[in-house]
Amino acid sequence: MAEPVLPDAPQRDAMLPEVLAQLFVTTPEAEALISGVRDALSLKNVTWQTAGANIDDALAYLDDEESGHILLIEKDRSLPDFITALDALAAKCDPQSRVFVIGRGDDEADAIAAYRRMMAVGVTDFILLPARPARLHGSLLDAFLSESRPKLGTSTAFISAGSGSGSSTVAQNVGYAIAEVLGRDTLLADLDPQYGTLAINFNLTNPRDLLAIEHTPGSIDHRVLWQTAERMGTHLKVLPTLPDLEHAPDMARSIICSVLEIPYQHDVHVVIDAPDAWTDTKRELLRRVDRLVIVAEPTLTGVQNVENTKRALERMECDPQHVSLVINQARQPGRTEVPLKEIEAATGFSVLAVLPYDARLMGEAEAAGTIPLAVSEKRPLARAVIALARSLSDQGEDDIPGQLTRLWRLLRKWW
């Protein structure tokens, strides 16, 4: 039985243009996956055309017909034979066509290797069954919305490799650094509804939180979120969430899609504090952000948590080039820590930054009702956070505003 139709986000801007999708599938599972997205609001301009059952039919069909904007082809043979057929297909396809391959997870001994070989011959995405319609839906949006519209800004999501690694604190300090130290317009979004800490750490009183927006009657889109975001400085706006343990472990899909739409509408760096729970909505979020940062502690448990997170991302077929690892709360006195080289060897990730443990700075920030970076920019922890923010925003030392420049901006705002 086909899964229910996706509850689409009610936003006009996230709608595909008029495109033709040619289907070459045969199994009920593949047909059910496609049926689950046909009626999605954002795909209402897509014309669906059943043109065959496999890649041989696609090759024969394209001898007489032009390829559509989308080709959905089911993998029906061994990987080497299928790659050979894809090479032949590439010669017949329009360069603007996007090929999506549907396979079965139990047929792939090494799914990651198969995915990489598919990408190497120009396949847009390789989707393994069983899969939910949201998986295909998000892939179609990524392929066409990112190419049919210029993206003004960028997005970075922070996730925790195990509870207590401090991903929320890191995300909030990095967002602050990008905005108030590097001078880049930034939106910091707290998408953890059960344990939202942004409002507390920024000492917000009675903020317009995302849960209230989520429960407000009427449509939710990027305009609503942008207009209701709290301004915290010259370049920083925040979308806080007041924690509610009775809420589901992630936000509504309409909120997620609206947050991800903001970089298409504004030249802003969206920094996202993602929830801990691995839900379908979180997986869609992680697939669609420009960059993903895993935050972990340098302990044996922390390394094991990173390995578990890596396996989850591999099952999602997340591009490893967009994933970075940050080691947090390092160099704690009296604690045995795993050396950096061993962490990289065990996880397969290069460590982007090491954030030292600073109990004094964290305590001062907590007492002041703010984040550590707002207390001091000179301490080793603060300097490491600023360096991380610089890496994530692709800014060099020369791009950082000096203290006089930042003071002038503040005075100009007051004036």
Side-chain angles (χ1 to χ4, degrees):
M1 180 181 297
E3 297 191 31
V5 174
L6 295 170
D8 231 335
Q11 49 179 323
R12 179 184 58 192
D13 300 298
M15 187 173 293
L16 261 64
E18 294 183 359
V19 295
L20 172 63
Q22 295 165 339
L23 312 180
F24 300 90
V25 300
T26 184
T27 64
E29 296 85 354
E31 292 175 351
L33 176 67
I34 296 169
S35 295
V37 302
R38 280 178 180 262
D39 295 328
L41 177 61
S42 56
L43 306 182
K44 75 172 188 177
N45 292 328
V46 178
T47 300
W48 305 89
Q49 180 185 73
T50 300
N54 52 39
I55 195 166
D56 288 336
D57 291 347
L59 289 168
Y61 183 85
L62 295 184
D63 283 336
D64 303 316
E65 303 289 341
E66 293 185 357
S67 61
H69 305 89
I70 301 170
L71 279 76
L72 277 161
I73 304 174
E74 189 166 5
K75 180 176 175 287
D76 63 343
R77 62 199 66 181
S78 68
L79 181 61
D81 292 342
F82 194 78
I83 294 295
T84 300
L86 283 174
D87 284 331
L89 185 73
K92 300 183 178 185
C93 277
D94 185 280
Q96 301 303 316
S97 296
R98 297 292 176 262
V99 177
F100 297 79
V101 176
I102 300 174
R104 297 195 64 85
D106 51 14
D107 291 340
E108 304 298 339
D110 189 342
I112 299 302
Y115 178 82
R116 287 173 176 166
R117 291 195 64 183
M118 295 281 186
M119 300 302 106
V121 296
V123 170
T124 300
D125 200 1
F126 181 35
I127 301 170
L128 292 177
L129 297 172
R132 295 180 178 272
R135 173 71 176 83
L136 175 58
H137 181 261
S139 183
L140 292 170
L141 290 181
D142 286 345
F144 283 90
L145 291 184
S146 60
E147 294 177 6
S148 63
R149 303 179 297 161
K151 194 170 187 180
L152 303 176
T154 188
S155 57
T156 302
F158 287 77
I159 61 172
S160 173
S163 178
S165 64
S167 62
S168 295
T169 302
V170 174
Q172 293 161 17
N173 280 271
V174 167
Y176 180 93
I178 294 174
E180 300 306 314
V181 178
L182 305 184
R184 172 92 159 87
D185 287 342
T186 306
L187 176 69
L188 179 56
D190 187 347
L191 300 184
D192 188 354
Q194 292 186 333
Y195 301 98
T197 59
L198 191 152
I200 297 174
N201 290 342
F202 278 83
N203 198 24
L204 299 177
T205 57
N206 194 28
R208 297 184 294 273
D209 73 298
L210 283 175
L211 291 186
I213 297 173
E214 179 183 88
H215 297 136
T216 300
S219 64
I220 300 171
D221 64 10
H222 63 88
R223 302 175 189 84
V224 173
L225 299 188
W226 185 254
Q227 292 170 2
T228 58
E230 301 270 352
R231 180 164 290 281
M232 298 300 300
T234 307
H235 296 282
L236 180 63
K237 298 180 78 172
V238 298
L239 286 170
T241 298
L242 298 181
D244 181 0
L245 290 175
E246 296 183 355
H247 192 280
D250 59 1
M251 306 294 293
R253 188 173 180 274
S254 57
I255 293 286
I256 300 294
C257 291
S258 297
V259 169
L260 293 173
E261 179 66 21
I262 289 175
Y264 287 98
Q265 307 296 328
H266 303 274
D267 184 10
V268 62
H269 193 141
V270 177
V271 177
I272 298 171
D273 178 13
D276 287 338
W278 285 82
T279 63
D280 287 340
T281 308
K282 175 180 175 176
R283 291 183 177 89
E284 181 179 357
L285 165 68
L286 300 186
R287 277 193 293 263
R288 294 177 59 185
V289 293
D290 297 311
R291 194 155 189 176
L292 174 60
V293 178
I294 304 171
V295 180
E297 293 191 61
T299 61
L300 181 59
T301 301
V303 173
Q304 292 172 339
N305 289 334
V306 174
E307 292 175 331
N308 293 335
T309 303
K310 181 181 179 181
R311 283 192 289 271
L313 295 174
E314 287 175 343
R315 288 193 292 269
M316 293 165 44
E317 300 157 16
C318 189
D319 188 348
Q321 295 183 348
H322 297 164
V323 183
S324 302
L325 176 60
V326 168
I327 300 302
N328 190 32
Q329 302 181 41
R331 306 166 193 150
Q332 289 194 28
R335 183 174 72 171
T336 301
E337 298 185 348
V338 181
L340 196 62
K341 291 183 178 179
E342 294 185 16
I343 294 176
E344 293 181 330
T347 64
F349 290 121
S350 296
V351 175
L352 181 62
V354 177
L355 308 182
Y357 179 71
D358 191 334
R360 179 182 173 185
L361 181 58
M362 296 292 289
E364 291 174 356
E366 184 176 352
T370 187
I371 60 174
L373 202 61
V375 174
S376 171
E377 296 180 14
K378 300 298 184 181
R379 301 284 288 272
L381 172 58
R383 292 200 300 269
V385 169
I386 294 171
L388 173 59
R390 190 183 308 125
S391 298
L392 294 174
S393 59
D394 297 322
Q395 287 189 339
E397 291 279 0
D398 296 338
D399 299 321
I400 301 177
Q403 291 184 351
L404 292 178
T405 302
R406 289 161 58 194
L407 177 61
W408 164 245
R409 288 176 178 173
L410 188 60
L411 291 174
R412 184 174 60 182
K413 177 184 177 183
W414 288 345
W415 187 267

